[in-house]
Amino acid sequence: INAVMTKNSKAPTTTPAKTGTKPAIGAPKAKAKPIKFDGKFPRELRAEFTTTKGDAIWPVLPPAPPDTKFNQGGDYRLKLRVSLADAQPIIDAGAALHQEAAEHFEKMAGVTPPKFCESLPYSHETDDQGKETGNVILSFKNPATGKSMKTNQVYSRSVPVIDTRKQPVTKQGGGGSILRVSAVLSPFYKTAEIGLGLSCRMNVVKV
């Protein structure tokens, strides 16, 4: 598994819209024009990376069944605790990818993204007093099912979980397990309310 080389990039920013004359009281509000964007981004707009060793937090990985609490089709989930120094290249790659996705969105839709999704697949860990611990929590999620665009049939998807000998893991791991993850960051856009965001999917998990 090869780590991705990234360049330091500034996080994307949004500029508040200038306010004009206030409408008269009782005047009907102008409807916002619908944004014409199909939500599809080029395959090259993504960033692959491999984490250092980290502590697993409430993993839901094969051979355990997927989590169906929020998605009927099921999701495999993992949160991984790593140091800020180890996470920084991933954060930098995410910031650069977010900006490139915003530029693609503007090119295709003719307008800047209405907002950036506040929920990103990485966050600073805090203790019980709300102070940062110096660690970062990386969040991964893989849908356990998919639907073929050609046949419209639903199919199952899994996440390869291997040991140091590259053999499939047959026992379910728990919190505190030491893992490395090969993953990919990808941009997404669903609605103006959710905004432009990043997803993080696992390619391979190594125990």
Side-chain angles (χ1 to χ4, degrees), residues 8-194:
N8 292 336
S9 304
K10 294 182 179 179
T13 57
T14 56
T15 304
K18 295 182 179 179
T19 56
T21 305
K22 293 183 178 180
I25 297 176
K29 295 181 180 179
K31 293 184 178 179
K33 293 183 179 180
I35 296 174
K36 295 182 180 180
F37 183 67
D38 59 8
K40 296 179 180 179
F41 292 91
R43 285 187 60 84
E44 58 267 22
L45 271 186
R46 62 183 198 171
E48 294 187 328
F49 65 92
T50 300
T51 71
T52 56
K53 293 179 180 179
D55 300 323
I57 303 173
W58 299 110
V60 181
L61 297 170
D67 179 15
T68 57
K69 183 176 181 180
F70 301 105
N71 177 14
Q72 188 176 1
D75 292 311
Y76 291 110
R77 300 174 180 270
L78 171 65
K79 291 184 181 295
L80 193 71
R81 180 190 294 113
V82 299
S83 70
L84 175 58
D86 289 335
Q88 194 61 56
I90 301 170
I91 296 172
D92 291 342
L97 181 62
H98 220 169
Q99 187 61 50
E100 291 175 9
E103 293 171 358
H104 175 78
F105 181 99
E106 185 172 359
K107 178 181 178 181
M108 301 303 294
V111 294
T112 57
K115 64 178 291 189
F116 286 97
C117 182
E118 297 178 359
S119 179
L120 292 172
Y122 34 76
S123 60
H124 290 278
E125 182 186 48
T126 56
D127 58 21
D128 294 337
Q129 284 72 45
K131 295 181 180 180
E132 293 184 1
T133 64
N135 294 322
V136 170
I137 305 300
L138 304 175
S139 300
F140 307 87
K141 184 176 75 171
N142 288 43
T145 57
K147 181 180 286 188
S148 172
M149 297 181 64
K150 293 182 178 180
T151 64
N152 208 34
Q153 291 183 338
V154 177
Y155 57 88
S156 298
R157 294 189 289 196
S158 187
V159 177
V161 182
I162 60 175
D163 59 21
T164 54
R165 297 181 179 180
K166 298 184 179 181
Q167 297 301 310
V169 170
T170 57
K171 293 183 179 180
Q172 181 178 346
S177 301
I178 305 301
L179 308 176
R180 290 187 70 192
V181 182
S182 170
V184 59
L185 286 167
S186 302
F188 69 83
Y189 178 84
K190 293 182 179 179
T191 65
E193 289 73 21
I194 296 176

